[in-house]
Amino acid sequence: MDEQFNPEWDYVVEMASIGYPVLNKIDYYITVHGTNAGDRQRPHIHIYLSNDKRPFSKFNFEIALDEILCYDEINLIRMKDQSKHIDRKNRNICSWNGYHKLYEDFVDWLFSNDIDVRGDFIDNLDAIIYFYNFESGGLKNSNPLLEYIHEHGLKILEKYKKYFSVEDIEKYSECFE
């Protein structure tokens, strides 16, 4: 049977592979999605099982990228774990409960400078920010992530300012504390 694609999805370049870390002794696949991907109305990170093929039906944890940068919180906004019969689409009932080791390992990976993708990055979070902007068509004259932050009246915390260029900090000064 041929795989069916959403015609709009075929042209979306807003999903970037970031890495294949081992978290909680399991191989995962980390991607970053923008809003044009159509699955979520905010910049977010996906954690998939590395051996699960599209459409990633076995495991899918989604994390709000803006909430990391603006609240210093790694919040789940969707969680699916077929092995535990969990499929929560409402962020208000998503929780890291029962996934404490996965959470800790993800945090360690996020701020680790052991990076799978090519580039001069501070850590994996820096790579996520870069590829979110790159895949969203930014980096030349715009910064789609900072545009999202601005449109939603959010502020990047001081500790995350290091991930943005001096030019972006000046151009989007209202996005920083």
Side-chain angles (χ1 to χ4, degrees):
M1 183 172 163
D2 289 335
E3 184 175 359
Q4 299 297 312
F5 290 100
N6 174 340
E8 293 177 24
W9 176 260
D10 288 340
Y11 301 102
V12 173
V13 291
E14 243 190 305
M15 176 176 154
S17 299
I18 303 299
Y20 292 88
V22 175
L23 309 172
N24 194 24
K25 300 179 183 176
I26 298 172
D27 293 331
Y28 287 95
Y29 171 50
I30 309 290
T31 67
V32 62
H33 286 208
T35 57
N36 287 341
D39 62 336
R40 184 78 50 200
Q41 293 304 308
R42 67 178 336 136
H44 61 285
I45 303 162
H46 284 263
I47 302 175
Y48 300 119
L49 289 173
S50 66
N51 64 355
D52 192 10
K53 301 302 176 208
R54 194 174 184 179
F56 308 110
S57 59
K58 296 178 187 174
F59 191 94
N60 176 18
F61 276 26
E62 296 179 28
I63 299 160
L65 176 57
D66 56 306
E67 293 179 8
I68 295 172
L69 299 170
C70 299
Y71 304 118
D72 200 25
E73 296 176 0
I74 299 176
N75 294 321
L76 290 171
I77 55 177
R78 165 122 167 60
M79 62 189 299
K80 180 177 190 169
D81 184 349
Q82 191 177 47
S83 71
K84 294 184 180 182
H85 307 289
I86 294 172
D87 190 3
R88 298 177 184 156
K89 297 175 183 167
N90 181 338
R91 70 171 291 141
N92 295 324
I93 59 173
C94 292
S95 167
W96 288 101
N97 290 341
Y99 296 92
H100 185 71
K101 181 71 171 130
L102 174 62
Y103 172 84
E104 287 179 349
D105 288 353
F106 177 74
V107 171
D108 290 345
W109 174 84
L110 191 63
F111 299 106
S112 167
N113 62 3
D114 184 13
I115 304 165
D116 289 337
V117 293
R118 289 183 184 199
D120 185 23
F121 302 110
I122 297 168
D123 53 26
N124 286 298
L125 179 56
D126 191 24
I128 286 170
I129 292 166
Y130 173 85
F131 282 103
Y132 174 86
N133 284 323
F134 181 78
E135 295 295 329
S136 298
L139 300 178
K140 293 179 181 140
N141 294 316
S142 69
N143 185 310
L145 181 58
L146 289 176
E147 288 173 8
Y148 176 91
I149 299 291
H150 173 70
E151 288 169 8
H152 290 83
L154 302 171
K155 302 274 186 199
I156 304 285
L157 297 173
E158 182 68 30
K159 73 185 273 184
Y160 295 113
K161 213 172 182 178
K162 65 185 177 186
Y163 296 112
F164 299 92
S165 70
V166 172
E167 295 81 14
D168 277 343
I169 292 169
E170 289 173 3
K171 182 175 180 181
Y172 298 94
S173 61
E174 68 283 351
C175 294
F176 295 91
E177 290 191 330

